[in-house]
Amino acid sequence: MAAQPPAAAKAPRTERGRKTLRKLLDAAAGEFGDHGFHEASISSITRRAGVALGSFYTYFDSKDAIFRALVQDMSEAVKVAAREAIVPDMQPLEIERAALQAFLEFAGEHKEVYRIIDEAEFVDPQSYRDHYETVAARIRERLETGGAKGELRHGLGEIEAWALMGMNVFLGLRYAIWREEGDPDSEGVARAANAMLAKGVAR
Amino acid sequence: MAAQPPAAAKAPRTERGRKTLRKLLDAAAGEFGDHGFHEASISSITRRAGVALGSFYTYFDSKDAIFRALVQDMSEAVKVAAREAIVPDMQPLEIERAALQAFLEFAGEHKEVYRIIDEAEFVDPQSYRDHYETVAARIRERLETGGAKGELRHGLGEIEAWALMGMNVFLGLRYAIWREEGDPDSEGVARAANAMLAKGVAR
């Protein structure tokens, strides 16, 4: 997923090592996503990855360690997906629309991301909290930049950032993870949510 | 918590039975909140409740059953807390502000509500989904009523309801569960969020 190896993994020193680490993290996403932390096993992860068991221990000390690395990896991947959707010259509101649409598409393609990040609340609470605090800080910065540029209201801060993050997370839950026949597509959901974000619900 | 016994419990036939069921659910909230589903035990729940082990089985067949009943009970309690904050003649936006403030206060007093509902994603996925679908349906109805009354925009629906629910859930996570020294109080958070809901973030 993300391009940078997560800090919780031991850093690979070769390109081959980097690829092995990537295979292990992708396999871990599948394994934890399918079975949850408690039922998942290191041997299933290495089998899925097509990697020798010994290679696992080159990068991780334990199942807890790869889970922690995976949460960091997914958190980074969510960030990259949003960032890649943002192009220079986009205005602040357009940035939020594009970031949400990219997130909805990312979550639709990587449905395990919800289960894994949500399970971190129980398996690795610090990573869970770090993830949301990092995302909220990023949103807050964008809102403040938008205020400085004049497109957004002044004085937007942490409350509005957490509110906006919550909107996006729950729209992903409903329209990516629990998607139903006939639902609006990512673009339609992002457009409606952006209208609400821009002008609110008052008449 | 909630006044009505949850559907997942066997219904008590006497007032004394109703009290025993209430004690069991409150004890279960403490036990699951402190230790999580897997570490919690029926005997610890009955010990906390000060109730004989046999009484447990009058109402529940298993740990899974009382967990499911507890999620329903908390879902109902969240609803009741919001509803009690709403008084006749409140306008639609004022209703949303009061409901959020009541929810923040409820979550601050019952911090276990997040852990238990979040753990339902893994222990009892149907209850987890039912909880959010029910809350979203209630919010949607309020938004549509607000549209009909003319205070809110027409055409608000499921997308806006899930977005608003997500705002509230994440504001509760940040300002009730992860509350920090110096944070604005429930009233301040609800007021800022309501301004964002009413008029959006555009200048």
Side-chain angles (χ1 to χ4, degrees):
Chain A
M1 248 182 224
Q4 288 299 315
K10 293 170 215 162
R13 283 172 302 177
T14 62
E15 178 56 22
R16 187 155 168 254
R18 213 190 54 75
K19 280 185 184 159
T20 302
L21 175 56
R22 186 69 266 152
K23 279 184 205 165
L24 284 166
L25 288 166
D26 290 343
E31 180 70 8
F32 290 126
D34 287 348
H35 303 298
F37 180 80
H38 296 287
E39 300 294 317
S41 71
I42 293 176
S43 59
S44 301
I45 293 170
T46 54
R47 205 178 314 119
R48 274 176 184 253
V51 154
L53 191 61
S55 297
F56 179 91
Y57 292 99
T58 306
Y59 301 105
F60 304 104
D61 289 330
S62 62
K63 188 168 78 165
D64 287 83
I66 196 170
F67 185 85
R68 186 160 57 251
L70 180 62
V71 173
Q72 291 177 357
D73 186 57
M74 292 195 141
S75 193
E76 177 70 17
V78 166
K79 179 172 91 178
V80 169
R83 192 203 282 148
E84 284 176 353
I86 299 170
V87 296
D89 297 337
M90 271 186 180
Q91 294 302 302
L93 280 165
E94 177 62 9
I95 286 174
E96 294 310 320
R97 195 206 52 73
L100 172 55
Q101 185 175 333
F103 171 68
L104 294 172
E105 279 157 16
F106 177 84
E109 283 158 23
H110 302 275
K111 292 195 175 169
E112 69 282 5
V113 72
Y114 272 72
R115 177 168 187 166
I116 290 166
I117 290 179
D118 290 351
E119 196 167 17
E121 179 177 356
F122 305 98
V123 173
D124 184 8
Q126 191 58 51
S127 294
Y128 179 73
R129 190 163 172 165
D130 286 347
H131 169 66
Y132 284 121
E133 290 185 342
T134 306
V135 174
R138 213 152 58 220
I139 294 176
R140 180 181 183 166
E141 210 185 303
R142 294 201 302 254
L143 293 177
E144 288 174 348
T145 303
K149 283 190 174 177
E151 195 193 359
L152 304 188
R153 281 196 279 129
H154 280 291
L156 300 173
E158 194 174 16
I159 293 175
E160 290 81 5
W162 282 77
L164 175 47
M165 176 166 67
M167 288 175 59
N168 292 352
V169 170
F170 271 73
L171 290 169
L173 180 64
R174 172 62 186 82
Y175 292 102
I177 310 303
W178 292 341
R179 180 157 193 81
E180 288 171 10
E181 188 94 17
D183 278 342
D185 62 9
S186 303
E187 199 190 325
V189 174
R191 213 181 317 108
N194 198 246
M196 175 174 173
L197 177 68
K199 59 187 177 178
V201 300
R203 200 171 182 176
Chain B
M1 249 181 223
Q4 287 302 312
K10 291 171 218 164
R13 283 172 301 176
T14 62
E15 179 56 23
R16 184 152 171 255
R18 213 191 54 77
K19 280 184 183 157
T20 301
L21 175 57
R22 186 70 265 153
K23 280 184 204 164
L24 284 166
L25 289 166
D26 290 343
E31 179 70 8
F32 290 127
D34 288 348
H35 302 298
F37 179 79
H38 296 287
E39 301 294 317
S41 70
I42 293 175
S43 60
S44 301
I45 292 169
T46 53
R47 205 177 315 119
R48 275 177 183 251
V51 154
L53 191 61
S55 296
F56 179 91
Y57 292 100
T58 307
Y59 301 104
F60 305 105
D61 289 330
S62 61
K63 188 167 78 164
D64 287 82
I66 195 171
F67 185 86
R68 186 162 54 251
L70 180 62
V71 173
Q72 291 177 357
D73 186 57
M74 293 196 141
S75 192
E76 177 70 18
V78 166
K79 179 173 91 179
V80 169
R83 192 203 282 148
E84 284 176 352
I86 299 171
V87 297
D89 297 336
M90 272 186 180
Q91 294 303 301
L93 280 166
E94 177 63 8
I95 286 175
E96 294 310 320
R97 196 206 53 71
L100 172 55
Q101 185 176 334
F103 172 68
L104 293 172
E105 279 157 16
F106 177 84
E109 283 157 24
H110 302 276
K111 292 196 174 167
E112 69 283 4
V113 72
Y114 271 72
R115 178 168 187 167
I116 290 165
I117 290 179
D118 291 350
E119 197 167 18
E121 180 178 354
F122 304 98
V123 173
D124 185 7
Q126 191 58 52
S127 295
Y128 179 73
R129 190 163 171 165
D130 286 348
H131 169 66
Y132 285 121
E133 290 185 342
T134 306
V135 175
R138 211 151 60 221
I139 294 177
R140 180 181 183 166
E141 209 185 304
R142 294 200 303 255
L143 293 177
E144 288 174 348
T145 303
K149 283 191 175 177
E151 195 194 359
L152 304 188
R153 281 196 279 129
H154 279 292
L156 300 172
E158 193 172 17
I159 294 175
E160 290 80 7
W162 282 76
L164 175 47
M165 175 166 67
M167 288 177 60
N168 293 352
V169 170
F170 271 74
L171 290 170
L173 181 64
R174 171 64 186 80
Y175 293 101
I177 310 302
W178 292 342
R179 183 159 190 80
E180 289 171 11
E181 188 93 17
D183 277 343
D185 63 9
S186 303
E187 198 189 327
V189 173
R191 212 180 319 108
N194 198 246
M196 176 174 171
L197 177 69
K199 59 188 177 178
V201 299
R203 199 173 183 175

